[in-house]
Amino acid sequence: MAKIIDGKMISQQIKDELKEKVESLKEQGKTGALAVIQVGEDPASSVYVRNKKNACAYIGIESLAYELPGETTEEELLGLIEELNGKERVRGILVQLPLPEHICEDKVIQAISPDKDVDGFHPQSVGAMTIGQPGFLSCTPAGIIQLLKRSGVEIAGKHCVIIGRSNIVGKPMALLMLRENATVTITHSKTKNLSELCKQADILIVAMGKPQFVGAEYVKEGAVVIDVGIHRDENNKLCGDVKYAEVEPIASAITPVPGGVGPMTIAMLMNNCVQSIEEG
């Protein structure tokens, strides 16, 4: 039986620690707000934005909501970001992705001041992470590191295989695992012998965006399995990229979906916001 890595519980611990930190920063006269921008009414985005606002309220930082219509132009959005970059009270700026097709995500990410890039997506943030300089870390990969550490999983010297090479999870995940002294293999849609490679992993991180793709034949006995995927199956139930029922008996530890990686992303976003207020 695998140990279930409880992301809800660990994210709650982190938020409680941050709540205390925010109170102590307020006593030092340090405060700040997170500006959250949503363009259009994508239902999944609306849920994420609401969760982010609730997390801000819980740890005690102000959140400013900018809910823009779907037909907002790229120029208007970039103008708002520029305005927020100049506001001292705004310590973090977050633009909820995906954006409508007529807006270039890269331009928007690059318009956010690196000092306020609490998502950790700006090229400057990514560059700093690559060479081990201080900066904001991508929230999901940073959350996975916390999940492993707080669950007592040894990372140093272990072989970590990552399925997926996205800029949001796969690539930064590899860099952070290297920073923790793991030996890292990145696999993707063009990788040959994928299941054989995955079976060598002590820690398998699955971020491929394909529902219930990874079964028992991908997992070595006793491996730690982190499932980043989130989908709805044919019965409209939430599921991940991993066939949980099949993999759980083989793994030594595994994240459930929901309640695994998801809550950690928001906890680490809050961590970045508090870091920004602290440095502000």
Side-chain angles (χ1 to χ4, degrees), residues 154-162 173-186 197 200-205:
E154 180 71 40
I155 303 173
K158 295 296 171 68
H159 184 196
C160 170
V161 176
I162 298 164
M173 190 73 249
L175 289 164
L176 291 185
M177 290 302 278
L178 276 174
R179 188 187 279 194
E180 298 296 333
N181 299 314
T183 299
V184 180
T185 301
I186 304 174
L197 272 173
Q200 296 170 25
D202 303 310
I203 301 170
L204 179 63
I205 299 174

Side-chain angles (χ1 to χ4, degrees), residues 140-156:
T140 301
I144 291 168
I145 296 288
Q146 286 298 317
L147 276 182
L148 293 168
K149 285 185 168 179
R150 290 173 185 244
S151 302
V153 175
E154 180 71 40
I155 303 173

Side-chain angles (χ1 to χ4, degrees), residues 32-33 72 78 84 87 95 108 127 144 149 193 205 217 239 253 266 269 274:
T72 300
L78 293 173
L84 294 170
K87 284 191 175 171
V95 178
V108 169
I144 291 168
K149 285 185 168 179
N193 309 327
I205 299 174
E217 71 279 14
C239 67
I266 290 182
L269 170 69
V274 173

Side-chain angles (χ1 to χ4, degrees), residues 52-113:
K52 286 164 187 174
K53 288 182 198 165
N54 291 343
C56 283
Y58 183 81
I59 70 163
I61 62 175
E62 187 185 358
S63 66
L64 308 170
Y66 295 86
E67 283 152 14
L68 309 179
E71 58 276 10
T72 300
T73 65
E74 184 176 278
E75 205 178 341
E76 287 168 332
L77 177 55
L78 293 173
L80 172 60
I81 291 168
E82 196 179 332
E83 186 189 318
L84 294 170
N85 279 338
K87 284 191 175 171
E88 206 170 310
R89 184 167 67 113
V90 173
R91 295 304 315 146
I93 300 170
L94 185 149
V95 178
Q96 185 63 44
L97 303 178
L99 289 165
E101 280 180 8
H102 65 277
I103 297 176
C104 171
E105 284 187 3
D106 278 350
K107 268 192 194 172
V108 169
I109 288 167
Q110 291 182 39
I112 297 169
S113 162

